[in-house]
Amino acid sequence: MPFDIARTRAAYPALTEGFAHFDGAGGTQTARPVIEAVAAAMTAATGNRSTAFVPGRRSLDLVAAARAAVADLLGAEPGGVVLGPSATALTYTLARTLGAGWRPGDEVVVSRLDHDANVRPWVQAAEAAGATVRWAEFDPATGDLPAGQYADLVTERTRLVAVTAGSNAIGTVPDVAAIAKTAHAAGALVCVDGVHAVPHGPTDLASLGADFLVTSAYKWSGPHLAAMAADPARWAALRPAKLIPSSDAVPDRFEYGTPSFPLLAGVVAAVDHLATLDPAATGSRRDRVRAGLAAAQAHEEAVFERLLAGLADRPWIAVHGSPARRCPTVSFRVAGSAPAETAAALGAAGVCLSSGDYYAYEYFRTMGLRDSGGAVRASVYHYNTAEEVDRLLAELDRLAATGERMAG
Ligand SMILES: Cc1ncc(COP(=O)(O)O)c(C=O)c1O
């Protein structure tokens, strides 16, 4: 069945404002059921977690429901889902916790393709432990992250390999399963950054080979909250720094302070929403989420192909990378226009793209593009349309024409 784009767009109230949103990689619009669920949770009587009274039990239920929803999204166990304010915060918690057990001579492997949220926490934890950092390099021409290099990078001293499931800068989808196999053969753990990849297709913790997998709900139609999934037994082996009176249970002991209960209701609603993207899907919520994201992926890929073709047709646009497997995300520069100027000109026309390095710090530094403003990024999400791509391309043409007039 073709993807019902009109029905899909109707689920996002913000789309009526008329902007063309090509910055889903920075954060998507919020689906109506999410807004309603958050409002309902804030309207109802509320209380901190307690079994003693109904509002307190509601909060307990919301935490459990959010763990179950994320578990269905990632193919994890609810008891292995740690909830937190952001992927960055969760990765820092894990890095500090694992790093406390590292010794001088231990090694960690990070990649120059990753968002800094899956780089710096590991580099800093390694520095604190006197451990060595080894770097996986991307191919500067294609933006691919060759999995073969991990055979040399990973040694019997490697404690952790951190790698992205999808680059937020240029979309590259590395062969995480192959990288994880190499890491596991040496006894190392694997932390996978799923923040960019998870919104763009079905995800499965086990088939990725991830020991830890992090995702942020605001990249998949939900609120600004994140989750990290692992086997509950994996969490049980770890002792994070924590307050004395806070729960020592798994996964609660990795969560700091009082969670935003209403936003947890939004996380549940967001996963439920993804489960509706293929209206013909049946079965468990996990089955329907997978089907919904597969349907969305096919739609996104078609829209993205049109965008890539349009960019390639314009010789005054330089596209960075051409990865073999990718999320629908591309970075580019327009000749004669600094990335921030391009983004501002498009923004003035209601076409929303971001510019800069989007925290893919090592990628842009390695490419020598950081100091000159990085690039402009267009990412496609399931509510984007071919017409919006044409609108973006027309605005780029207008920008180029203005630039020529000014230069002439
Ligand atoms: C690939 C990737 N990893 C990590 C992050 C950080 O996520 P958070 O804002 O939840 O810390 C982002 C945010 O843009 C991202 O795109």
Side-chain angles (χ1 to χ4, degrees), residues 107-109 134-136 146-158 161 179 182-183 186:
E107 297 173 1
V108 302
V109 181
R134 307 190 77 187
W135 291 90
Q149 65 184 310
Y150 284 82
D152 296 325
L153 289 168
V154 172
T155 73
E156 75 281 0
R157 295 304 307 265
T158 308
V161 174
I179 294 167
T182 306

Side-chain angles (χ1 to χ4, degrees), residues 2-394:
F3 191 68
D4 188 342
I5 185 65
R7 173 182 168 276
T8 302
R9 285 179 66 84
Y12 292 88
L15 295 183
T16 57
E17 285 190 49
F19 296 107
H21 295 282
F22 285 101
D23 195 30
T28 58
Q29 303 308 302
T30 310
R32 179 178 284 107
V34 174
I35 300 162
E36 290 173 352
V38 173
M42 295 187 103
T43 307
T46 184
N48 209 334
R49 282 173 285 195
S50 170
T51 52
F53 47 92
V54 168
R57 286 201 289 277
R58 282 185 190 146
S59 295
L60 283 167
D61 290 348
L62 281 174
V63 173
R67 295 200 206 290
V70 173
D72 281 347
L73 178 66
L74 302 180
E77 284 183 46
V81 174
V82 172
L83 302 162
S86 67
T88 305
L90 288 167
T91 307
Y92 260 116
T93 300
L94 181 65
R96 285 197 205 102
T97 305
L98 288 176
W102 295 344
R103 299 284 165 266
D106 285 345
E107 297 173 1
V108 302
V109 181
V110 292
S111 101
R112 293 206 201 274
L113 187 67
D114 272 73
H115 186 287
D116 217 47
N118 200 30
V119 175
R120 222 51 57 187
W122 302 113
V123 169
Q124 290 163 3
E127 277 167 7
T132 302
V133 177
R134 307 190 77 187
W135 291 90
E137 307 286 347
F138 59 85
D139 177 333
T142 63
D144 283 313
L145 186 72
Q149 65 184 310
Y150 284 82
D152 296 325
L153 289 168
V154 172
T155 73
E156 75 281 0
R157 295 304 307 265
T158 308
R159 306 298 301 272
L160 180 110
V161 174
V163 68
T164 187
S167 155
N168 70 313
I170 53 170
T172 311
V173 173
D175 189 348
V176 171
I179 294 167
K181 208 169 159 202
T182 306
H184 289 152
L189 294 172
V190 178
C191 179
V192 176
D193 178 351
V195 174
H196 189 65
V198 166
H200 299 297
T203 300
D204 189 49
L205 181 73
S207 21
L208 278 173
D211 295 297
F212 302 93
L213 175 63
V214 69
T215 185
S216 285
Y218 73 97
K219 312 286 190 179
W220 33 266
S221 316
H224 284 82
L225 275 190
M228 187 179 270
D231 187 327
R234 181 74 65 204
W235 290 122
L238 301 178
R239 314 275 345 158
K242 66 176 282 299
L243 304 183
I244 291 174
S246 67
S247 169
D248 199 34
V250 168
D252 309 58
R253 71 169 175 246
F254 297 90
E255 296 169 350
Y256 292 125
T258 310
S260 165
F261 301 118
L263 294 190
L264 292 178
V267 168
V268 178
V271 173
D272 286 338
H273 169 68
L274 298 177
T276 68
L277 290 176
D278 176 358
T282 53
S284 67
R285 179 171 57 186
R286 168 89 180 131
D287 293 339
R288 287 178 287 114
V289 166
R290 287 181 65 83
L293 284 171
Q297 186 173 30
H299 168 77
E300 289 175 5
E301 279 172 5
V303 173
F304 187 62
E305 281 311 311
R306 188 181 185 95
L307 172 60
L308 279 188
L311 295 175
D313 271 351
R314 290 162 172 78
W316 36 273
I317 293 180
V319 171
H320 301 299
S322 54
R325 296 194 309 161
R326 73 191 303 176
C327 296
T329 300
V330 61
S331 276
F332 61 90
R333 276 190 181 207
V334 173
S337 171
E341 286 168 8
T342 309
L346 295 170
V351 180
C352 307
L353 286 79
S354 60
S355 70
D357 70 7
Y358 353 107
Y359 286 22
Y361 173 84
E362 292 291 339
Y363 174 82
F364 283 101
R365 207 178 56 80
T366 307
M367 293 295 284
L369 294 169
R370 231 193 136 258
D371 294 341
S372 55
V376 188
R377 176 180 64 185
S379 67
V380 168
Y381 191 55
H382 57 242
Y383 47 56
N384 287 121
T385 63
E387 293 72 35
E388 287 179 319
V389 167
D390 294 345
R391 181 173 164 193
L392 165 58
L393 294 171

